[in-house]
Amino acid sequence: MSATPQKNRVPRRVLAATAGLVTVGALVAAMPAGAHDKGHGHHPSRTVDVQLLSFNDLHGNLEPPAGSAGTVSETQADGTVKSVPAGGVEYLATSLRTARKGHPYSVTAAGGDMVGASPLLSGLFHDEPTIEALNGLDLDVTAVGNHEFDEGATELGRLQNGGCHPVEGCYEKGKKFKGADFPYLAANVTNEKTGKPILKPYTVWKKNGVKIGFIGVTLEGTPNIVTANGVKGLKFHDEIETVNKYAKELDRQGVKSIVALIHEGGAPASSSYNYDCDSPGAGDGISGPIVEIAKGITPKVDALVTGHTHQAYVCTVPDPSGNPRMVTSASSFGKVYTDTTLTYDRRTKDIVRTSVKSAKSVNHVVSRDQAKATDMTALIARWNTLAAPIAGRPQGYISADINGRGSTAPEKPLGNLIADAQLEGLAPADKGGAVVAFMNPGGIRSDLVYTASGSEGDGVVTYGEAFTVQPFTNMMNVVDLTGAQLVAALQQQVSGSNEASPKILQISKGLTYTLDMTKSGAARVVADTIRLNGEAIDPAKSYRVAMNEFLAGGGDGFAALGQGTNKLVGASDLDLFNTYLAAHSTASAPLAPPATDRITIVQ
């Protein structure tokens, strides 16, 4: 549910290791001209170029994402940065199909989070529409991501194998859901009882004697960012150890070309998709958990397709032998795809690995000024017809965009709105008696956009739009926490597992404090500035606190929030949000974006 959980790995900026480039580069230079081409007559050339197309973190975004969530940053020749509208499966299908032209050897792989936290069009139907779209995109393989576990392992198994939903049945008369016609790989997820992987750990793609193995893993920290029910009965193992184990197994089977699909990622120094990750400037490169993972994965693996952080990057990180190796990620929501050329040597059955430049790995924008794929347009229309009676219902009115996902500030206008809605709904004595509410930032999946998404008119918030903001339908909890636990929870935003990449809770009105980012760890939360309705927090006093079930379970590294007692389970987060919109807005008096003045930031 969270956007970018970080492990306790020291983030390190990495630059291309130039050592080791010479030998491989020389080897390529020494190849006869045309060695990459198909041979003539009876002598096929020794090498063949395999095109690897990849993307990640689609999250069921079949229609182009609205507002800032539907743009990518592009650095122009003059250094300015432009926002380019991107994404939507009608365009992703066209991009991939166009890219495959003239490439007899082409394989398409994904880095996880294809489903989960999806907009209403997919989420309402338990993501069957997205699996159907991915089948149509000719996806060959994907790793599981943390969101594939949102509804538990049994539901993930249904998405893979087909069959109608156990509660809601079949959505279309006379049509049974077929499941994914590509394998979902979960090498590091085992059944607690049997110790065996819950899905295939790897698969081998074959064409005309060319063989490439794919190993898929999700981040080891998945249980910290998914509700307890989603990961019940499962064990998540170390990414490096798992990939190395199965790389050895593939190697023994004679599969020497291996790609790892890893649902974990990093943060490049620039958010532009066309940033040169290997530029040698101070502070350039990439940081985050994927760096240490990439450095630990056996040289048997030839490329890493990653995800989870929703960033776009094409970087080289040296493998344990010091040779450069591609690590790529393609933003999120189908806005970018990566095109990598893997040069396959028929004699060694391995990939000839060189620098990024010669490995030719490039991120491309899925632009919306190309033709739409008609089969995807028809798929969207079919499901939209089923969703329309629910999706188009007006819930409230806004006077301008209220940014959530699209806001980079620690305190987000939409975060304040959601927390206020939760507090108001759960403050009555019979509803829990809450005095304060907390919302996790990663649970806010989009912005509320003023411009109409359909025929509802500008400023109207539909049920579909509200669902897209809060698609988890988490049940709300109200618990007793001591003042000391409240303070500890605020400190956990910027310390422990959240120190390297802070997770700032969105807070209801009445709670204020100062966040001093010049300090480190827990000290960043200035304890004596914390006030609730103007009063200092009493460490010994008990407070009724509202939050979703994910946070109440200690998710996202908030152990203190998991210590609550006297739990009362309330309505869902989405119901409270919609109730609040209805109570506080009309067509003639729409809701304005709330001020962001609860957290004072010192940089």
Side-chain angles (χ1 to χ4, degrees):
M1 260 178 318
S2 158
T4 53
Q6 299 279 354
K7 278 198 165 180
N8 283 327
R9 289 202 176 90
V10 185
R12 275 195 218 158
R13 297 255 168 222
V14 177
L15 301 170
T18 42
L21 285 185
V22 185
T23 47
V24 194
L27 182 134
V28 172
M31 276 186 183
H36 294 271
D37 308 329
K38 287 209 282 295
H40 303 288
H42 301 295
H43 302 287
S45 84
R46 178 167 163 180
T47 62
V48 56
D49 281 350
V50 177
Q51 177 188 53
L52 171 63
L53 299 175
S54 56
F55 59 97
N56 50 278
D57 295 275
L58 180 65
H59 291 288
N61 279 264
L62 302 179
E63 295 175 296
S68 58
T71 62
V72 290
S73 300
E74 180 178 77
T75 302
Q76 308 299 299
D78 63 1
T80 57
V81 177
K82 185 172 137 189
S83 258
V84 183
V89 293
E90 294 160 295
Y91 303 110
L92 180 60
T94 300
S95 287
L96 295 176
R97 288 164 189 171
T98 306
R100 288 178 190 132
K101 283 183 182 146
H103 293 276
Y105 295 86
S106 182
V107 56
T108 304
D113 278 7
M114 294 295 99
V115 300
S118 308
L120 186 90
L121 177 62
S122 186
L124 189 63
F125 306 106
H126 295 276
D127 284 311
E128 289 181 22
T130 297
I131 297 295
E132 198 181 289
L134 292 170
N135 288 344
L137 288 177
D138 292 322
L139 182 62
D140 289 296
V141 57
T142 183
V144 293
N146 51 293
H147 283 279
E148 263 81 18
F149 294 94
D150 284 348
E151 295 186 45
T154 308
E155 174 61 5
L156 172 57
R158 185 182 79 87
L159 290 180
Q160 175 72 85
N161 302 314
C164 295
H165 192 269
V167 178
E168 293 173 35
C170 302
Y171 294 111
E172 293 176 288
K173 219 180 155 135
K175 270 182 112 168
K176 188 177 161 210
F177 173 60
K178 291 191 179 79
D181 61 16
F182 51 88
Y184 254 117
L185 304 181
N188 68 330
V189 188
T190 57
N191 180 305
E192 257 175 9
K193 290 200 178 88
T194 66
K196 291 192 166 66
I198 59 159
L199 291 166
K200 282 169 72 160
Y202 59 81
T203 190
V204 181
W205 178 86
K206 300 181 183 119
K207 184 165 183 185
N208 299 342
V210 173
K211 287 195 285 196
I212 297 178
F214 287 88
I215 302 166
V217 296
T218 183
L219 67 151
E220 188 186 0
T222 292
N224 309 326
I225 51 174
V226 173
T227 55
N229 279 344
V231 294
K232 217 177 175 164
L234 305 177
K235 231 180 139 154
F236 292 78
H237 303 268
D238 183 82
E239 305 94 339
I240 299 173
E241 286 170 22
T242 306
V243 172
N244 290 355
K245 170 184 156 180
Y246 287 111
K248 207 185 261 175
E249 196 170 303
L250 281 165
D251 189 53
R252 277 202 303 268
Q253 292 172 19
V255 178
K256 307 292 180 188
S257 300
I258 302 171
V259 175
L261 308 174
I262 303 177
H263 191 71
E264 177 60 291
S270 158
S271 60
S272 290
Y273 83 92
N274 57 341
Y275 163 64
D276 178 4
C277 192
D278 294 333
S279 44
D284 270 331
I286 183 173
S287 59
I290 199 62
V291 175
E292 297 304 313
I293 292 174
K295 286 178 172 174
I297 283 178
T298 169
K300 290 185 199 312
V301 172
D302 299 295
L304 276 61
V305 171
T306 72
H308 189 53
T309 57
H310 292 202
Q311 304 291 313
Y313 48 83
V314 170
C315 310
T316 43
V317 178
D319 71 15
S321 316
N323 291 320
R325 179 167 57 191
M326 295 298 328
V327 179
T328 69
S329 174
S331 182
S332 64
F333 301 172
K335 294 182 290 191
V336 171
Y337 73 93
T338 313
D339 188 337
T340 303
T341 303
L342 301 172
T343 301
Y344 182 91
D345 185 325
R346 289 183 184 276
R347 199 171 306 163
T348 62
K349 299 190 171 72
D350 208 348
I351 301 299
V352 180
R353 263 209 279 138
T354 52
S355 73
V356 180
K357 304 298 171 283
S358 52
K360 296 197 291 290
S361 195
V362 183
N363 273 335
H364 298 280
V365 176
V366 175
S367 73
R368 297 186 199 161
D369 54 11
Q370 55 186 326
K372 295 178 177 184
T374 52
D375 57 330
M376 293 296 155
T377 306
L379 180 149
I380 288 169
R382 212 179 83 233
W383 288 102
N384 261 333
T385 304
L386 289 174
I390 296 170
R393 250 185 255 149
Q395 302 298 313
Y397 304 85
I398 55 174
S399 63
D401 286 0
I402 303 181
N403 282 347
R405 193 78 186 181
S407 163
T408 52
E411 182 185 349
K412 306 171 193 308
L414 188 50
N416 286 357
L417 179 65
I418 290 168
D420 289 351
Q422 294 177 352
L423 177 62
E424 184 170 296
L426 301 170
D430 62 333
K431 298 279 192 283
V435 294
V436 65
F438 290 131
M439 174 64 192
N440 56 308
I444 306 169
R445 302 308 295 189
S446 75
D447 303 334
L448 275 187
V449 180
Y450 177 78
T451 308
S453 59
S455 56
E456 79 274 11
D458 289 348
V460 180
V461 179
T462 63
Y463 185 87
E465 289 165 337
F467 184 99
T468 299
V469 168
Q470 294 204 275
F472 297 106
T473 327
N474 270 319
M475 300 316 288
M476 291 300 300
N477 291 184
V478 185
V479 298
D480 282 345
L481 286 174
T482 65
Q485 287 166 328
L486 259 184
V487 173
L490 292 173
Q491 290 171 332
Q492 283 164 356
Q493 301 176 107
V494 287
S495 62
S497 60
N498 293 333
E499 178 153 11
S501 178
K503 288 205 178 68
I504 306 303
L505 293 165
Q506 305 300 289
I507 54 177
S508 54
K509 59 173 177 279
L511 183 63
T512 54
Y513 69 94
T514 298
L515 193 58
D516 185 350
M517 296 308 284
T518 64
K519 297 194 161 74
S520 63
R524 289 166 166 175
V525 173
V526 185
D528 58 13
T529 63
I530 306 172
R531 296 277 181 281
L532 182 57
N533 303 322
E535 289 181 20
I537 299 283
D538 178 347
K541 194 178 154 187
S542 182
Y543 295 86
R544 292 292 281 165
V545 184
M547 62 193 112
N548 60 40
E549 58 190 323
F550 170 66
L551 280 177
D556 265 356
F558 290 103
L561 296 181
Q563 293 163 358
T565 55
N566 298 326
K567 178 165 82 174
L568 181 135
V569 178
S572 76
D573 50 9
L574 182 61
D575 285 348
L576 291 182
F577 186 52
N578 284 331
T579 301
Y580 187 88
L581 288 172
H584 291 271
S585 67
T586 61
S588 55
L591 197 66
T596 49
D597 53 5
R598 300 170 191 183
I599 307 172
T600 304
I601 312 280
V602 179
Q603 293 284 16

